[in-house]
Amino acid sequence: MQHALYRAAKADPGRRFHSLRDKVYRRDVLWRAWVNVRRNNGAAGIDQTTLAMVEEYGVTRLLDEVARELRDGGYRPIAARRVFIPKPGTSDRRPLSIPSVRDRVVQAAMKIVLEPIFEADMLPCSFGFRPKRSAHDALQVLIDESWRGRRWVVETDIANCFEAIPHEKLMQAVQERVCDQAVLKLLRAMLRAGVMDGGQVRRSVTGTPQGGVVSPLLANVYLHRLDRAWEDRVDGVLVRYADDLVVMCKSRQQADAALARLRDLLADLGLEPKAAKTRIVHLQVGGEGFDFLGFHHRLVSSQGRVGTKGVTFLARWPASKAMQHARDRIRELTVRSRLLLPVDWMVEDLNRFLRGWAAYFRYGNSADQFDEITRYARMRLAIVVAKRHQRSRGFGWYVVAYASPNQLGLIDLHGTVAAPRPFRDWRARPNAGGERRR
């Protein structure tokens, strides 16, 4: 079904789809939606219904009820539960909306049906929350454009993007491709369901609440208007990952024009760039860099062999916030309150985090940062051993680094980095040794 919708949308860019309602409540679509929701293992909404309670109630029974309500037009979403989660590396908190399980299933079904239609229109400059595209695809564009001489960078992100998108303008963007009134009515109901905050339901005329399954798709559909306006590349090369934006330019004048144009285009969409994160950076050896998608990017020059010239290139490594997040997480996993746990359990938790963290940041020039995180994890593990045996920290370090043949099973990130290359697919980089245990 998804392939058929994608091919139809790709073949006719002006086509508007009018028969989608029956696909949303198709049994196979709802089942796939449930599998996706279950895989994410989210929390309960305001109805306090958990995934385990749904399984006890009967998944088939729930999906049959949802399908019947959608078919008869009786489905009504309830307000999402509002929580605030800390932003890594800062004292700020990000609002997160948690819909009920049944609402998440319906949103996932809507996403399954609508995504291939809008995916046919998406442009190469957009990378966030899209199938078969990743943050590393966006990062590769920065490497390529820097090599082409675009070394003036406009960096910004959209202030409260998910909360600020106007509902009416968003629905107009959706209606460019969808004219099925039942589906449009359902989308409006999702947008107007509101959130439960402080015991009161708040309904706004803006926003696709962050945390909703369909919200990233709707944000991409709306911001596609920005991508479309930038397609001519007159003011530089745009790289957009959801609401994070970077424009690679060849001169200061082009960068100034790009920033002014960005502000104008976002204002037309009812959005604005976040002032604290908006600036123009000139990439030069010995100069400052910029942070994007968790990495710090900076122009460096390698030392060539005797008689050869060094190479100037855009290097990247984990940003300061990413390093602090890693240290904070390692500290949480080795906190005093976990001292009664077996050491091998603690090591297993550490390894699980280190593997996930390194799997993302290994595609960069991150060797020094990986060594630093490895040393920090080893030091925290030594403190755990010392406290368990009520001995000095030196004793714990001796046990981990020397007495144990493999650092008690703790993995070593040394040798796992795969440096990116211009105009070469990052996926093609060979594994630079893989993780190792000592």
Side-chain angles (χ1 to χ4, degrees):
M1 179 199 70
Q2 287 185 308
H3 282 294
L5 290 172
Y6 177 83
R7 288 194 300 266
K10 199 72 174 176
D12 185 0
R15 177 173 176 176
R16 299 176 69 209
F17 290 77
H18 64 277
S19 182
L20 299 175
R21 172 173 167 268
D22 59 318
K23 297 174 178 59
V24 175
Y25 59 76
R26 260 176 47 169
R27 183 55 183 275
D28 56 342
V29 171
L30 287 175
W31 182 258
R32 175 61 63 85
W34 160 255
V35 170
N36 293 342
V37 169
R38 187 67 185 89
R39 186 186 299 121
N40 289 333
N41 198 30
I46 63 171
D47 60 355
Q48 299 299 313
T49 301
T50 64
L51 294 167
M53 292 168 64
V54 169
E55 291 175 332
E56 183 179 353
Y57 179 77
V59 176
T60 302
R61 182 180 174 187
L62 174 72
L63 297 183
D64 287 342
E65 293 174 358
V66 170
R68 184 167 57 253
E69 291 178 10
L70 290 171
R71 184 172 54 251
D72 298 339
Y75 170 78
R76 295 292 182 273
I78 62 176
R81 180 165 64 92
R82 173 60 59 88
V83 297
F84 292 88
I85 59 175
K87 292 184 178 180
T90 69
S91 58
D92 297 336
R93 296 194 302 164
R94 176 186 292 113
L96 187 68
S97 301
I98 305 177
S100 66
V101 174
R102 63 190 292 123
D103 288 345
R104 294 208 295 270
V105 170
V106 175
Q107 288 190 30
M110 288 284 284
K111 181 176 181 288
I112 289 171
V113 174
L114 295 180
E115 187 173 60
I117 296 172
F118 291 103
E119 181 62 25
D121 297 333
M122 296 294 175
L123 297 174
C125 64
S126 171
F127 295 91
F129 305 110
R130 292 184 58 191
K132 299 182 180 180
R133 308 205 101 193
S134 73
H136 287 288
D137 293 317
L139 294 169
Q140 184 63 44
V141 176
L142 304 188
I143 298 287
D144 298 344
E145 296 305 325
S146 170
W147 194 264
R148 290 188 175 105
R150 290 187 171 91
R151 294 179 179 175
W152 285 89
V153 180
V154 180
E155 60 164 327
T156 186
D157 66 9
I158 302 172
N160 300 319
C161 177
F162 285 87
E163 301 290 330
I165 295 176
H167 289 173
E168 285 307 313
K169 288 187 176 181
L170 172 59
M171 292 306 301
Q172 290 172 11
V174 173
Q175 289 175 60
E176 290 181 8
R177 275 301 204 169
V178 176
C179 59
D180 188 319
Q181 292 303 312
V183 170
L184 295 175
K185 180 180 178 182
L186 185 55
L187 272 178
R188 287 193 181 93
M190 291 176 180
L191 293 173
R192 294 171 181 170
V195 295
M196 179 73 75
D197 188 5
Q200 293 184 340
V201 176
R202 304 181 185 275
R203 294 184 173 88
S204 174
V205 296
T206 63
T208 59
Q210 198 164 357
V213 179
V214 77
S215 292
L217 172 63
L218 295 179
N220 270 338
V221 169
Y222 191 61
L223 293 177
H224 174 66
R225 294 185 168 189
L226 171 65
D227 303 340
R228 200 164 51 193
W230 208 276
E231 196 173 7
D232 55 17
R233 291 192 171 196
V234 171
D235 293 316
V237 175
L238 173 68
V239 180
R240 181 177 68 81
Y241 193 93
D243 56 347
D244 288 338
L245 309 173
V246 163
V247 183
M248 305 290 288
C249 304
K250 288 194 172 183
S251 66
R252 176 72 196 216
Q253 292 75 16
Q254 189 180 45
D256 288 334
L259 181 55
R261 189 179 179 195
L262 267 179
R263 286 197 171 104
D264 291 341
L265 291 173
L266 289 175
D268 290 340
L269 296 174
L271 305 171
E272 61 180 2
K274 187 178 294 184
K277 293 189 176 181
T278 301
R279 62 178 185 147
I280 295 176
V281 178
H282 183 202
L283 296 175
Q284 53 186 340
V285 176
E288 62 178 334
F290 66 98
D291 293 349
F292 184 59
L293 299 182
F295 282 92
H296 179 73
H297 305 261
R298 185 170 296 192
L299 202 69
V300 301
S301 181
S302 65
Q303 295 181 352
R305 297 178 181 176
V306 177
T308 63
K309 186 178 180 181
V311 178
T312 300
F313 63 98
L314 185 65
R316 66 171 182 252
W317 51 82
S320 297
K321 289 183 179 179
M323 294 291 289
Q324 188 59 49
H325 167 68
R327 287 189 288 266
D328 290 344
R329 183 57 180 155
I330 291 170
R331 194 180 305 112
E332 289 175 4
L333 294 175
T334 55
V335 73
R336 182 187 294 269
S337 60
R338 305 187 84 217
L339 284 179
L340 294 180
L341 292 176
V343 173
D344 56 342
W345 288 16
M346 202 173 297
V347 169
E348 184 179 346
D349 289 341
L350 283 170
N351 286 344
R352 187 180 300 112
F353 167 73
L354 291 173
R355 286 192 189 97
W357 189 83
Y360 180 76
F361 288 107
R362 69 180 293 264
Y363 295 100
N365 311 88
S366 310
D368 291 344
Q369 288 72 24
F370 275 27
D371 287 345
E372 180 180 337
I373 293 301
T374 297
R375 287 195 299 270
Y376 186 77
R378 198 182 307 157
M379 182 267 290
R380 291 296 303 182
L381 189 58
I383 292 175
V384 167
V385 172
K387 287 181 178 178
R388 283 174 64 90
H389 293 275
Q390 298 181 353
R391 302 284 295 275
S392 68
R393 186 176 297 188
F395 169 80
W397 185 258
Y398 169 78
V399 171
V400 174
Y402 301 105
S404 170
N406 64 347
Q407 297 183 138
L408 300 179
L410 186 68
I411 64 173
D412 185 355
L413 301 182
H414 179 73
T416 64
V417 172
R421 297 289 185 269
F423 314 114
R424 187 183 302 179
D425 187 357
W426 63 273
R427 297 178 183 83
R429 294 292 297 148
N431 191 317
E435 71 183 30
R436 300 189 301 182
R437 297 174 185 264
R438 288 184 179 176

